Amino acid sequence: MLRLIRFHLRKNKVLLKDNFSLFSMMLLAFIINYFFHFYIGKTLGPSDYGTFGVLLSIVYIIVMPLMAIQTTLSKYVAELNARNERFEIYYLFSKSLKKIGMFGLIISVLFLTLSPLLSSFLKIGVVSPLIILGSSIVFAFLVSIVRGFLQGLQRFKLLGLTFLLESLSKVFFGIPLVMLGFGINGAIGGFALSFVLPLLVLLYFIRKGFFKDGSKKFDTSQIYKYSFPVLVMLVVLTGLYNIDVILVKRFFDPIIAGQYAALSLFGKIIFFATLSISMVMFPKVLELGGEKRGSILLLFKSILIALFLGLSASVLYFLMPEFIITTLFGEEFLVISPLLWIFGIIMTLFSICYLISFYNIALRRVNFLYFIIFFNLLEVLLITLLHNSLEQIVVILIIIMFLLFLTLGIYTIKNDKNIDYRSSI
């Protein structure tokens, strides 16, 4: 048994090493990030934290093109790098900064314009937090460009540093602003500034690596054609774990909405803890695909890692929910304790669906997107019709995630007809 374990460890050394490198930095970043959230939750209380949580959910949905940008750029950078076309990489970086930066600016302006309407729909008394968030969106777009290039070049340590800097910025800016009495505006301000500092630091570190005069122009139209299905995938995936927070804020009492936002946050711990797995898997699936080698085993191994992390957290949630909630959020949030482990299972299933989706999009499959869109619509419909209690919301989510997992699993296995089971990383 030990010999078999050692054999698989040696065989998958690169995959495990890259996963550990990025995972460890992202884990530290997420610990800092969640410290920020727990402080905000304890300081602001359920009602204001509900507002904070729903604002972040809106931002996650709106800025999901960022992950599409990162994913698309990483794909083409990985291919250019594999062919050692360095000057084409320099050209792509320069053009991406200009084109995507302008698109981010347009999104910021639109968000600011619609802020009063969003404030009214979500029953938020002030519009200033929305204005603060809207002003920072353009910086988030620029950060995503840098992350896409780092991911495509498989520079996972520097990629992890971007997430670490983002979390540290929230703590260094957001907590002092809240302590000074700025309340929800201070918390949102810290979140907004977390896009600015990583961008400045990263541009400093990569200034010699990407800003080259000897760039080589080439046709980039295919890059943007590829980005559309990736954009759709990430928007609908993000909708699955954020629409519920928005609808709960719409239909429930502010205090209950805040308690649910905390429950959702505990679930997202699992998702964000496994996010690095997809970032490592994606360029490696592209690499295997370019070599005409099967990559299904890589997906299975990635799922096993995510399953282990998700179930470990869910067991912890089951064994000591009151202690975890009281320590991190306070007694005002204890009402969610019976639902904590169930939400852990929900987000474990979602994390696996996320991995399967990235695997399929890397292989240029798009039909699975119809399934995810359908389950988004089903989630909105069911929560709109059935929202008598938080328990009802949780039941709806676990049914949706389980059915989506089965659907994507069957779709993937059916489409992987010619598998080279000897291929591995």
Side-chain angles (χ1 to χ4, degrees):
M1 183 64 181
L2 290 174
R3 185 181 300 175
L4 181 64
I5 293 174
R6 284 196 296 267
F7 170 75
H8 282 285
L9 287 175
R10 287 194 302 268
K11 189 177 180 182
N12 299 282
K13 183 178 179 180
V14 176
L15 175 65
L16 293 172
K17 181 181 177 182
D18 288 342
N19 258 303
F20 179 77
S21 176
L22 183 57
F23 172 76
S24 58
M25 295 194 73
M26 290 185 69
L27 177 62
L28 179 58
F30 292 142
I31 290 173
I32 297 171
N33 183 56
Y34 280 101
F35 168 77
F36 171 71
H37 276 271
F38 297 141
Y39 174 84
I40 297 301
K42 271 193 170 185
T43 305
L44 298 183
S47 182
D48 281 344
Y49 186 75
T51 301
F52 179 76
V54 76
L55 289 177
L56 297 194
S57 294
I58 293 172
V59 170
Y60 287 145
I61 293 174
I62 291 176
V63 301
M64 265 307 103
L66 306 186
M67 282 297 294
I69 291 167
Q70 178 179 330
T71 303
T72 303
L73 288 177
S74 71
K75 174 191 184 305
Y76 285 93
V77 170
E79 292 174 351
L80 292 171
N81 190 51
R83 298 193 298 266
N84 200 30
E85 297 177 350
R86 306 295 295 180
F87 293 109
E88 284 81 355
I89 293 177
Y90 304 149
Y91 172 76
L92 180 59
F93 184 74
S94 175
K95 186 169 184 178
S96 297
L97 282 178
K98 296 175 184 176
K99 194 164 188 175
I100 297 173
M102 179 58 67
F103 182 68
L105 184 60
I106 293 172
I107 296 296
S108 285
V109 172
L110 288 174
F111 186 88
L112 291 170
T113 304
L114 295 173
S115 291
L117 294 176
L118 288 171
S119 177
S120 175
F121 176 78
L122 297 170
K123 302 174 183 177
I124 300 173
V126 291
V127 73
S128 53
L130 289 160
I131 293 175
I132 295 170
L133 276 181
S135 302
S136 68
I137 289 176
V138 63
F139 296 102
F141 272 77
L142 296 174
V143 169
S144 71
I145 297 171
V146 181
R147 284 176 173 164
F149 276 78
L150 295 178
Q151 184 180 353
L153 295 172
Q154 299 192 37
R155 295 176 64 178
F156 297 116
K157 290 182 180 178
L158 195 53
L159 178 61
L161 178 63
T162 70
F163 293 98
L164 187 58
L165 288 172
E166 183 178 320
S167 296
L168 287 171
S169 299
K170 294 174 186 176
V171 172
F172 290 150
F173 294 117
I175 291 180
L177 288 172
V178 173
M179 292 175 66
L180 290 171
F182 288 96
I184 186 69
N185 286 330
I188 292 296
F191 185 87
L193 289 170
S194 68
F195 296 128
V196 180
L197 182 60
L199 176 64
L200 297 177
V201 173
L202 282 171
L203 290 178
Y204 174 79
F205 274 114
I206 66 173
R207 68 191 189 284
K208 295 180 180 179
F210 290 113
F211 295 102
K212 299 283 187 178
D213 294 330
S215 61
K216 185 177 180 181
K217 188 175 181 179
F218 70 102
D219 183 17
T220 58
S221 60
Q222 290 299 318
I223 296 178
Y224 302 106
K225 289 180 181 178
Y226 177 84
S227 66
F228 181 73
V230 180
L231 167 62
V232 173
M233 179 190 75
L234 288 165
V235 169
V236 293
L237 281 172
T238 307
L240 282 173
Y241 71 90
N242 282 289
I243 287 174
D244 57 321
V245 178
I246 295 172
L247 292 177
V248 167
K249 181 67 171 68
R250 171 69 177 172
F251 294 125
F252 284 79
D253 175 87
I255 293 178
I256 297 177
Q259 293 165 341
Y260 185 81
L263 178 64
S264 178
L265 180 68
F266 280 115
K268 288 180 177 117
I269 289 176
I270 294 174
F271 168 61
F272 288 121
T274 60
L275 189 60
S276 63
I277 302 172
S278 64
M279 292 183 179
V280 171
M281 182 192 71
F282 184 75
K284 294 185 183 298
V285 172
L286 291 172
E287 183 179 342
L288 289 172
E291 297 172 359
K292 307 299 181 183
R293 298 169 62 195
S295 51
I296 190 68
L297 292 180
L298 179 59
L299 173 63
F300 289 156
K301 293 166 187 174
S302 300
I303 288 175
L304 285 176
I305 298 172
L307 189 63
F308 171 76
L309 293 172
L311 291 181
S312 298
S314 299
V315 168
L316 194 64
Y317 288 167
F318 177 78
L319 293 175
M320 49 182 68
E322 292 87 358
F323 174 77
I324 293 172
I325 293 170
T326 303
T327 303
L328 300 177
F329 269 105
E331 294 183 357
E332 293 176 289
F333 293 84
L334 274 176
V335 67
I336 63 173
S337 58
L339 304 174
L340 194 57
W341 71 274
I342 303 176
F343 219 89
I345 299 297
I346 290 171
M347 292 310 294
T348 300
L349 287 170
F350 174 77
S351 298
I352 294 173
C353 292
Y354 194 86
L355 281 170
I356 297 173
S357 298
F358 262 80
Y359 173 80
N360 281 292
I361 207 72
L363 297 175
R364 292 182 176 272
R365 299 170 185 164
V366 297
N367 288 336
F368 73 97
L369 295 175
Y370 295 111
F371 300 128
I372 306 177
I373 292 171
F374 168 77
F375 282 106
N376 266 267
L377 296 174
L378 183 62
E379 181 180 344
V380 172
L381 177 63
L382 290 178
I383 294 178
T384 302
L385 295 176
L386 307 170
H387 51 263
N388 295 324
S389 66
L390 294 186
E391 288 80 6
Q392 204 168 42
I393 304 296
V394 170
V395 169
I396 290 171
L397 289 181
I398 199 165
I399 291 173
I400 286 175
M401 294 303 176
F402 180 71
L403 292 176
L404 178 61
F405 165 68
L406 287 180
T407 304
L408 292 180
I410 294 170
Y411 172 87
T412 303
I413 293 172
K414 184 179 179 181
N415 281 277
D416 270 275
K417 296 177 181 178
N418 300 315
I419 303 172
D420 178 6
Y421 285 99
R422 295 168 297 174
S423 64
S424 183
I425 292 292

